[in-house]
Amino acid sequence: MNHAGVLEAREAFGETTLIVDPAQIVDLCRHLKDSEKYIRLSGITAVDLHPAEPRFEVIYHLHSIERNQRLRLKCLLSGGNPEIDSATGVWRGANWYEREVFDMFGIGFRNHPNLVRILMPIDWEGYPLRKDYPVHGYKYSYPSE
Amino acid sequence: MKHSFEDHTSTIPAVQEIPATPSAPRRMTLNMGPQHPSTHGVLRIVLELEGETIISAAPDIGFLHTGIEKEFEQKNWQQAVTLTDRVDYLANLSNNLVYALAVEKLLQIEIPARAQWTRVMMTEFSRLNSHLVWLGTHALDIGAMTMFFYCFREREDILRIFEMFSGQRMMTSYIRIGGLALEPPRGWQQVVGKFIRAFPSKVDEYEELLNANPIWMQRTQGVGFISLEDMLDLGITGPMLRGAGLNWDIRKSEPYSSYEKFDFKVPVETSNDVWSRYRVRIQEMRESAKIITQALEGMPEGAWQADAPHVVLPDREKMKTQMESLIYHFKIVTEGFRVPAGEVYQCIEAPRGEIGYYVVSDGTSKPYRVHMRTPSFGNLQGLPKMLENTLIADSIAALGSMDFVLGDTDR
């Protein structure tokens, strides 16, 4: 993969992972979709490596039906103010996956058309899948509406 | 006293009305759900209507969110199998399987042929189960009530088979890391054989009721169109894509659990509407029945659990007589087994499309992170596009043809 955004390529369990520079993620995605036939975005998710720094990994699972290949992209983000460009311009399907990551990890996606919580109630405080979020939550019931 | 039409309408408060102007016709925002019978779960859709035409639809999900991904991080690897059932409660065995396959990939353990074949057979039963519930409820929504009883009659037999194998009707947790939860019970061949010999004639019955039924044809043909490009872009998978002419099935393209040893076809239809999705799923039921028949006839002999004493619990006999086994038993029960650090993405073809589990291990006895890429979540994202500029009456048929499960969407 000859692209300036790819920092490192790893092979494990027969799966390829590319470590990507977060600033170039959209450019790389577009390149992969247009030139490398990765027309499907299987999903976007994140991993919290708390208390390590950089704290967050944003993971993209790409799939090419034609080449029958899968590819994982990984961006590392710092814990201070995690933000990355949205891939909704490349695949419209990224919309909900990015909202889910925002909802669960509090990672912002720049230029996202509608970045609001998707699974948790709209007024929920905190990001449940962060490792420093207690399992029982900070509160035990919904606020009265 | 005689009421005029104007008098009557003025007393009914509209949900939210935008006044009509000569340039913009009257629009209404209508809330559908979350407790609407045809949303098959708890889904809310905010519809913007112009007369009976849907201008835009905005699905609102999350009502069934139970934090399963967070829960995964609290359980040990084997305990977490019980959570996977509860994600998609109609295709529970598919979820068991994909999780087990992902963790086994990390552990790098070999699963014996008999366990693999039993897994295939059971996942195909869960596909039948899911498609039967889909057909019954979808037809019920459109008005063919008889279908519901026909489909649930066969589904009941399948649930009995699940109960016979695992002791549970729905939350089976039958496929475990390292093999199966229990050895297949004595005499299962007779029960499965009896069911599967009769099943094709039952599918004939469904087709007889629906195929030439003019109401069914009118309600499904040409309804719920969404182009293949849009579907791929929005992340829709499974029978929806095969109903649009794309021959892609993970069982064929990336075979798992010895699916490559089975002979079956991938049904493809091209009309890309509710009707074609119905045709695809009906044919998939026939193919699943073929796979189950092959599994029944060619079931290999041998072990039903992997030869991995650090993962699989030893049997009681060994545990009580051999010290080695006793130590393994103690270790597995008290702290669970450890999984080497690493990350894998494993996907399988579930009844609704691609289920993909992204599993991260940090080398301890609990999963560090499990992300479920569920087909319903991906498919539902295509809903606004599909409902755009269609009639509100057709939205029920279109919703049904997507075959989503809200537990699967919200997790």
Side-chain angles (χ1 to χ4, degrees):
Chain A
M1 194 72 54
N2 291 318
H3 190 278
V6 180
L7 304 176
E8 193 192 332
R10 288 181 197 159
E11 282 279 344
F13 304 104
E15 298 173 12
T16 312
T17 307
L18 302 181
I19 313 293
V20 179
D21 175 11
Q24 302 203 43
I25 183 72
V26 173
D27 194 46
L28 177 68
C29 285
R30 196 174 298 282
H31 169 75
L32 287 171
K33 189 188 178 192
D34 295 344
S35 317
E36 306 278 342
K37 304 199 175 84
Y38 284 97
I39 54 165
R40 273 194 70 237
L41 173 73
S42 232
I44 301 176
T45 184
V47 179
D48 181 7
L49 302 174
H50 181 72
E53 188 63 42
R55 179 173 173 181
F56 294 106
E57 287 176 345
V58 181
I59 317 265
Y60 299 74
H61 284 112
L62 274 49
H63 178 223
S64 164
I65 295 176
E66 200 178 321
R67 290 167 55 172
N68 196 16
Q69 268 179 6
R70 288 178 188 272
L71 184 65
R72 182 184 303 125
L73 307 181
K74 191 184 268 190
C75 291
L76 294 165
L77 298 179
S78 84
N81 180 26
E83 261 201 339
I84 190 166
D85 289 322
S86 165
T88 41
V90 187
W91 298 279
R92 275 176 289 159
N95 188 327
W96 280 21
Y97 291 109
E98 291 181 345
R99 277 176 68 187
E100 192 193 339
V101 170
F102 167 72
D103 193 356
M104 295 294 156
F105 292 92
I107 296 171
F109 288 89
R110 286 184 290 263
N111 305 323
H112 188 285
N114 179 29
L115 196 64
V116 291
R117 287 188 182 273
I118 184 166
L119 296 176
M120 301 302 284
I122 211 100
D123 55 354
W124 195 261
E125 285 164 29
Y127 301 104
L129 280 180
R130 287 190 175 187
K131 288 283 177 184
D132 52 1
Y133 187 96
V135 187
H136 52 75
Y138 291 117
K139 45 189 170 186
Y140 293 87
S141 60
Y142 289 82
S144 57
E145 286 180 357
Chain B
M1 196 187 136
K2 202 178 157 198
H3 287 281
S4 72
F5 180 67
E6 282 78 10
D7 286 340
H8 183 65
T9 49
S10 65
T11 57
I12 301 170
V15 182
Q16 187 193 326
E17 263 185 44
I18 300 153
T21 56
S23 57
R26 259 153 87 110
R27 284 199 179 176
M28 185 169 81
T29 310
L30 182 72
N31 184 53
M32 181 169 158
Q35 306 291 355
H36 192 276
S38 71
T39 54
H40 300 280
V42 199
L43 169 68
R44 175 173 171 240
I45 308 172
V46 182
L47 298 168
E48 178 128 359
L49 302 173
E50 206 176 281
E52 284 196 34
T53 311
I54 297 167
I55 302 301
S56 72
D60 178 11
I61 62 168
F63 293 93
L64 283 180
H65 178 65
T66 45
I68 286 181
E69 287 179 17
K70 184 84 176 169
E71 195 87 346
F72 262 104
E73 296 164 14
Q74 319 306 322
K75 303 251 185 261
N76 71 36
W77 290 96
Q78 193 72 277
Q79 284 172 335
V81 174
T82 56
L83 294 171
T84 60
D85 290 314
R86 279 131 180 106
V87 178
D88 181 351
Y89 40 79
L90 292 180
N92 35 38
L93 283 144
S94 304
N95 279 281
N96 292 166
L97 178 63
V98 64
Y99 175 69
L101 287 174
V103 180
E104 282 156 10
K105 212 185 212 181
L106 278 169
L107 284 165
Q108 293 184 300
I109 50 178
E110 253 333 283
I111 302 302
R114 185 176 168 204
Q116 289 198 18
W117 281 55
T118 313
R119 284 174 170 195
V120 167
M121 187 177 79
M122 295 308 275
T123 9
E124 288 309 317
F125 267 125
S126 104
R127 187 184 315 278
L128 284 182
N129 173 24
S130 171
H131 281 3
L132 285 170
V133 173
W134 165 78
L135 182 60
T137 54
H138 178 49
L140 183 69
D141 289 345
I142 306 186
M145 199 175 185
T146 317
M147 283 311 298
F148 185 80
F149 301 108
Y150 275 58
C151 292
F152 270 60
R153 180 187 61 188
E154 271 72 70
R155 182 187 182 235
E156 187 59 33
D157 291 340
I158 294 175
L159 293 185
R160 289 218 177 98
I161 291 172
F162 285 167
E163 192 177 6
M164 188 179 139
F165 273 80
S166 69
Q168 289 280 332
R169 283 160 62 86
M170 283 183 77
M171 303 303 158
T172 52
S173 300
Y174 185 59
I175 297 170
R176 300 277 171 91
I177 300 162
L180 307 169
L182 297 161
E183 186 172 8
R186 251 178 291 166
W188 69 267
Q189 289 92 340
Q190 279 77 38
V191 180
V192 171
K194 187 168 168 242
F195 173 81
I196 215 65
R197 275 190 295 278
F199 189 70
S201 69
K202 305 284 170 68
V203 183
D204 293 342
E205 278 180 15
Y206 312 149
E207 291 205 79
E208 216 163 289
L209 276 166
L210 294 176
N211 270 0
N213 180 336
I215 301 171
W216 177 259
M217 282 153 81
Q218 282 191 357
R219 295 282 330 249
T220 58
Q221 288 179 348
V223 172
F225 174 83
I226 172 169
S227 75
L228 183 61
E229 287 70 38
D230 282 336
M231 281 201 254
L232 289 170
D233 205 28
L234 287 163
I236 294 178
T237 50
M240 299 263 302
L241 288 180
R242 292 192 284 276
L246 183 71
N247 187 342
W248 173 53
D249 188 313
I250 300 173
R251 288 177 292 174
K252 288 278 188 198
S253 65
E254 297 155 81
Y256 50 88
S257 198
S258 69
Y259 260 107
E260 67 279 0
K261 299 203 174 97
F262 291 86
D263 172 34
F264 63 100
K265 285 200 290 286
V266 179
V268 175
E269 294 278 331
T270 48
S271 63
N272 197 358
D273 53 6
V274 179
W275 171 264
S276 72
R277 288 161 211 152
Y278 152 71
R279 292 300 310 153
V280 166
R281 291 199 180 98
I282 282 279
Q283 291 172 61
E284 277 189 8
M285 284 202 242
R286 292 189 189 279
E287 295 301 319
S288 290
K290 266 166 59 184
I291 296 173
I292 294 171
T293 310
Q294 289 168 39
L296 176 67
E297 283 162 2
M299 181 64 72
E301 291 293 314
W304 50 280
Q305 279 183 318
D307 179 25
H310 59 294
V311 174
V312 176
L313 276 181
D315 65 52
R316 302 298 287 181
E317 174 71 33
K318 273 191 188 160
M319 190 198 104
K320 303 229 165 171
T321 50
Q322 298 174 9
M323 194 172 76
E324 235 4 39
S325 297
L326 183 65
I327 294 169
Y328 275 127
H329 185 274
F330 180 74
K331 290 285 272 183
I332 294 172
V333 170
T334 50
E335 62 162 43
F337 52 82
R338 287 166 191 233
V339 172
E343 50 177 356
V344 290
Y345 180 80
Q346 174 70 44
C347 59
I348 66 164
E349 186 74 29
R352 273 160 264 287
E354 174 189 343
I355 297 187
Y357 275 40
Y358 172 61
V359 177
V360 183
S361 170
D362 59 347
T364 62
S365 57
K366 285 177 180 171
Y368 189 75
R369 168 100 175 96
V370 177
H371 176 255
M372 290 165 274
R373 184 259 179 245
T374 53
S376 301
F377 189 83
N379 288 5
L380 204 54
Q381 203 171 181
L383 189 69
K385 184 77 199 158
M386 193 159 129
L387 293 185
E388 224 174 68
N389 297 321
T390 60
L391 292 176
I392 189 162
D394 289 343
S395 72
I396 305 300
L399 276 174
S401 77
M402 285 197 130
D403 185 25
F404 47 77
V405 161
L406 268 299
D408 197 28
T409 312
D410 298 341
R411 305 183 298 279

